């Protein structure tokens, strides 16, 4: 039986997923990110040290476990890839070259209530850069470029990366005279869920804001622009603070660098905050055209305080693509399709059982030149062999003979062929993935 | 802190692992195996239905779980990929084309005591073919060819696939007059661990054998051959049984098909049995030259009774490569090396901070033509930029100028270059993996 929240794809969907992952990986590698995998489990104290997400942790117990295992020995499944990465860096910093750029594509687990595009087991694809002591800001400007290149390489709708900077919010709230900036941030973060009236009321009630301060917070959150004009609109609100200025300058750099690389890729969106996370400056989200109502398909940002060893800090910036989330949404709308459900490009027809060795040699010759090939499972007539290929979307059937022939079952064209030299059309070698 | 049994590789090792996985995957796909992933968890009753391995299962609990969750709702991490695959087939048989060939490359978990090359979390790469009702025997002969091609594509020592057939053992024991053939099989399976004297004694004690029957069982287990001669040696022992004949004919087919494909790849080894597993005919193991003492790096066989829906059976045959085990052994002997620890082929030197946009454009041009490129993290002198590349094994440093130049830091050769057309030596585009 399917288990709610633990999605499984059929083979044709898995072929699409693999193609998507290949593109993600090759784009990450074009930017010099090195591959990394961390174990699936972390000690519970590592998982709990990051706050509220801990509610969703899956703990592990051995079936035959001795009673009363101590809590510090407890292991849980990781719920993201950033916390394990930070742990890996602190554990291995002596063996790494800094700045350390890594990508990590792995399953993560959360004991959340499942809903469309939200799973308990899901695949994430993360990039991060960490450095020792300080991390230059230009790495914050690079993240959207990588993600933009990934999305442009995929047969999916247009993606817009939303960017904000927590220093803008925090500086603005402080410049307004609000003390508990974290509480203000958490409250404003609920804007899309509960609407402006309730946010204003909550700001007055829980964050000590006056009505006028609450209104200003909402005005800030309304600002959105694909160019540098957001900064003027913030300044027009008349609030000043050094941290606000710093945040505006940083966000401007991100927007301008992105506009040079790919106009329209990035939008400054001053309401996003990623409330419960460990970010300290830039924050990123991504909306997919036509799927905006399902929320963001990436999450990320700058984190200056996630990892440290003694007095040495390892600040970082990163972004995570929710691969299962993205594919779940697209599969749900039947938005992606693939030309076949198997890697096989050629089926070698088996005229009779005593000719299997001959067919195996033909298959070996084709495979030796990189052409995915199967021999038919049983001897059968012409029509059955065609049907075998057709049901799987395999484009070619090979008929051993004197001479051998190969048939493109889509066009019906059949030509003489030699297994030592024949080539399929280049587009037929591997399954093709399309937007539907 | 590292957790015993949960290995993590450094980035350069992960690059090696990825190269190995790419080769495994492309070989599997050349044979037409379709990709599949199953969820990491299975209901406990699915995991427990397969017998003794259940001792090693990791169960999941949510940290905030309500008390008294019912046992049938309990989830555990899968301990292999065959049991989940069998479950997937029974669940989705209406949506699959049979015979169904799939590969699956995933982590599995076992709560075992860790030792060299034995982990609690490890990566397996499996292929299986299942069919509805009956599965032709020739699929049993194909498995070693695929695995042989995989191992020949890797920079590792020579692998020998050991093959046996449980029908030989069971038929032989029965022909000898022994009733509890399963107990005999389990006892003989301990040969390498406890030696022939203790096996003989245990056969007498626990399987009702006479001294002479026990001696015959040991004579069978001694037989080993890289050609069809094993069959004559078995027959010379003077035991007859129809199932024995069937097993000998099957094993002969496996050995002869393998010898035609790759002489020396396969050895009939009549002592292997894979005692606790669900196999019903052919069984496979693999020894790596120089690493024989660590045991087998693959496991597999024919299973006729693992999956069924109502009266419909789905017999299968498959083999699993212990990827973490293989790499753990090779890394432990420092037997593999890689030319660099990052994907980056070119570092663009940053002459001064105000020229970052120019350097970014050069990097984008190189990436656009598939050349992995980083821009130097900070402006620095010539020597520092070379050092940055050298420490990571990056072969080229690009110097923006009028004109641009690119330096091969290994040879010291520096030439004029245009980012729109320059190509690295083809062998330099990606990291190279070697046997050391």
């Amino acid at each position: 039986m399917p288990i709610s929240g633990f999605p499984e794809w059929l083979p044709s969907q898995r072929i699409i997923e693999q193609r998507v992952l290949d593109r993600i990986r090759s784009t990450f590698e074009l930017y010099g990110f090195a591959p990394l995998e961390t174990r699936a489990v972390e000690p519970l104290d590592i998982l709990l040290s990051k706050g509220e997400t801990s509610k969703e942790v899956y703990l592990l117990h051995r079936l035959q476990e001795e009673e009363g295992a101590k809590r510090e020995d407890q292991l849980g499944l990781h719920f993201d890839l950033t916390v394990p990465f930070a742990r890996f860096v602190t554990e291995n910093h002596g063996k790494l070259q800094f700045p350390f750029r890594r990508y990590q594509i792995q399953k993560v687990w959360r004991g959340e209530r499942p809903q469309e595009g939200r799973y308990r087991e899901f695949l994430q694809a993360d990039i991060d850069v960490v450095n020792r002591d300080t991390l230059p800001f230009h790495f914050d400007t690079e993240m959207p470029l990588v993600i933009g290149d990934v999305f442009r390489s995929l047969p999916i709708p247009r993606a817009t990366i939303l960017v904000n900077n927590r220093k803008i919010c925090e500086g603005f709230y402080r410049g307004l005279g609000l003390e508990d900036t974290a509480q203000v941030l958490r409250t404003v973060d609920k804007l899309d869920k509960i609407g402006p009236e309730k946010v204003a009321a909550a700001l007055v009630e829980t964050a000590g804001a006056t009505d006028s301060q609450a209104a200003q917070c909402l005005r800030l959150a309304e600002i959105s622009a694909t160019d540098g004009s957001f900064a003027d609109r913030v300044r027009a609100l008349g609030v000043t603070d050094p941290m606000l200025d710093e945040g505006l300058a940083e966000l401007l750099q991100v927007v301008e660098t992105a506009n040079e690389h790919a106009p329209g890729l990035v939008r400054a969106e001053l309401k996003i905050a990623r409330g419960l996370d460990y970010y300290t400056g830039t924050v990123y989200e991504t909306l997919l055209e036509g799927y905006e109502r399902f929320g963001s398909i990436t999450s990320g940002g700058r984190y200056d305080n996630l990892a440290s060893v003694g007095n040495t800090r390892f600040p970082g910036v990163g972004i995570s693509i929710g691969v299962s989330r993205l594919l779940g949404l697209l599969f749900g709308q039947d938005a992606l399709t693939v030309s076949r459900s198997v890697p096989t490009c050629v089926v070698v027809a088996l005229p009779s059982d005593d000719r299997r060795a001959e067919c195996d040699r033909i298959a070996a010759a084709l495979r030796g030149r990189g052409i995915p090939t199967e021999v038919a499972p049983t001897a059968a007539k012409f029509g059955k062999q065609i049907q075998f290929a057709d049901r799987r979307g395999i484009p070619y059937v090979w008929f051993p003979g004197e001479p051998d022939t190969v048939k493109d079952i889509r066009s019906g064209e059949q030509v003489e062929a030699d297994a030592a030299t024949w080539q399929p059309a280049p587009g037929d070698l591997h399954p093709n993935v399309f937007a539907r």
Side-chain angles (χ1 to χ4, degrees), chain A:
Chain A
M1 287 291 295
I3 304 176
S4 174
F6 291 85
E8 291 188 316
W9 311 134
L10 289 168
S12 55
Q13 294 174 316
R14 174 63 184 157
I15 289 178
I16 295 171
E17 182 177 57
Q18 277 195 327
R19 187 63 50 90
V20 167
L21 293 174
D22 288 344
R23 294 274 165 81
I24 291 174
R25 172 180 160 192
S26 71
T27 305
F28 288 173
E29 292 186 350
L30 280 175
Y31 279 84
F33 291 89
L36 186 72
E37 276 204 356
T38 57
R39 62 194 185 216
V41 304
E42 295 293 335
L44 186 56
D45 60 342
I46 297 273
L47 297 171
L48 293 185
S49 64
K50 304 309 162 193
E52 304 204 26
T53 317
S54 63
K55 280 180 191 145
E56 306 157 357
V57 170
Y58 280 113
L59 294 179
L60 259 54
H61 294 281
R62 287 199 296 141
L63 184 55
Q64 310 275 324
E65 198 161 68
E66 31 322 329
E67 288 293 311
K70 278 177 288 177
R71 168 153 169 163
E72 61 261 42
D73 298 336
Q74 279 200 346
L75 300 178
L77 294 173
H78 56 214
F79 55 79
D80 75 359
L81 301 176
T82 312
V83 170
F85 172 57
R87 188 266 312 153
F88 181 89
V89 167
T90 58
E91 208 170 286
N92 295 284
H93 64 95
K95 299 171 195 159
L96 302 173
Q97 298 289 337
F98 292 95
F100 177 48
R101 303 159 74 78
R102 82 86 178 84
Y103 72 92
Q104 195 168 341
I105 302 177
Q106 283 183 257
K107 296 277 173 64
V108 305
W109 293 269
R110 294 182 193 179
E112 299 187 329
R113 183 188 305 275
Q115 46 180 295
E116 186 164 8
R118 294 262 185 206
Y119 303 112
R120 293 181 154 187
E121 175 180 57
F122 52 100
L123 190 61
Q124 294 200 169
D126 284 33
I127 47 171
D128 287 87
V129 183
V130 291
N131 202 17
R132 202 188 293 272
D133 302 323
T134 59
L135 179 71
F137 184 76
H138 65 80
F139 289 108
D140 292 47
T141 72
E142 187 185 33
M143 295 292 135
L145 313 191
V146 186
I147 299 304
D149 284 2
V150 165
F151 285 136
R152 277 192 294 176
S153 76
L154 300 175
I156 62 172
R158 209 170 81 101
T160 304
I161 303 175
L162 311 183
V163 191
N164 193 7
N165 193 306
R166 285 204 178 171
K167 292 176 189 171
I168 295 177
C169 305
E170 198 179 330
F172 186 89
Y173 304 152
R174 205 199 281 165
L176 265 180
L178 292 166
E179 298 289 321
D180 190 354
T181 59
Q183 178 58 22
V184 179
L185 197 73
R186 270 196 298 274
T187 308
V188 173
D189 200 35
K190 294 178 186 154
L191 196 52
D192 284 345
K193 271 189 198 150
I194 65 175
E197 287 78 17
K198 286 191 178 159
V199 166
L203 285 173
V204 171
E205 206 166 305
T206 70
T210 64
D211 285 345
S212 140
Q213 285 170 327
Q216 283 281 66
C217 291
L218 286 172
R219 274 180 218 117
L220 181 75
E222 277 165 14
I223 295 171
S224 167
T226 55
D227 59 21
S229 63
F230 72 88
D232 299 330
R233 291 171 59 194
V234 174
R235 292 208 180 88
L237 297 178
V239 176
T240 56
D241 179 87
M243 186 182 275
L244 171 61
D245 290 340
E246 193 181 322
L248 288 173
E250 288 188 353
L251 185 56
L252 200 59
Q253 265 196 69
V254 173
V255 170
E256 285 177 348
T257 305
N259 274 334
E260 156 143 12
H261 182 79
L265 172 64
V266 152
R267 191 165 83 214
E269 186 76 43
L270 272 61
K271 74 180 173 199
I272 71 161
R274 306 218 59 81
L276 305 175
D277 293 327
Y278 26 69
Y279 302 118
T280 52
T282 310
V283 288
Y284 313 101
E285 292 191 354
T286 301
L287 295 182
L288 202 62
E289 201 165 69
Y291 296 81
E292 293 86 351
R293 69 189 180 285
F294 297 106
S296 179
I297 52 164
T298 73
S299 80
R302 158 74 69 142
Y303 46 91
D304 278 336
N305 306 315
L306 197 57
S308 61
V309 177
N311 288 327
T312 308
R313 284 196 318 164
F314 295 91
V317 63
I319 195 161
S320 173
I321 302 172
V323 178
S324 298
R325 171 135 234 247
L326 172 65
L327 289 175
L329 294 173
L330 294 170
F331 290 158
Q333 301 297 314
D334 213 9
L336 293 172
T337 185
V338 63
S339 57
R340 56 191 196 250
S341 62
V342 291
T344 313
C345 178
V346 179
V347 174
V348 180
L350 180 67
S352 58
D353 278 323
D354 59 328
R355 292 176 68 185
R356 179 166 295 281
E358 176 191 350
C359 292
D360 283 346
R361 278 192 294 273
I362 292 167
L366 293 169
R367 287 179 196 130
R369 294 187 301 105
I371 303 167
T373 306
E374 279 180 68
V375 176
T378 47
K381 298 229 173 87
F382 192 88
K384 277 272 188 193
Q385 311 269 8
I386 302 279
Q387 195 182 56
F388 177 92
D390 192 42
R391 284 199 177 143
R392 292 161 176 80
I394 299 169
Y396 299 99
V397 179
W398 191 282
F399 296 96
E402 305 270 348
D404 290 0
T405 57
V406 63
K407 186 185 184 80
D408 180 333
I409 68 166
R410 298 157 302 182
S411 66
E413 192 193 8
Q414 187 163 353
V415 297
E416 288 187 17
D418 178 343
T421 55
W422 176 83
Q423 283 291 347
D428 287 337
L429 194 57
H430 299 295
N432 293 303
V433 174
F434 309 97
R436 201 188 286 268

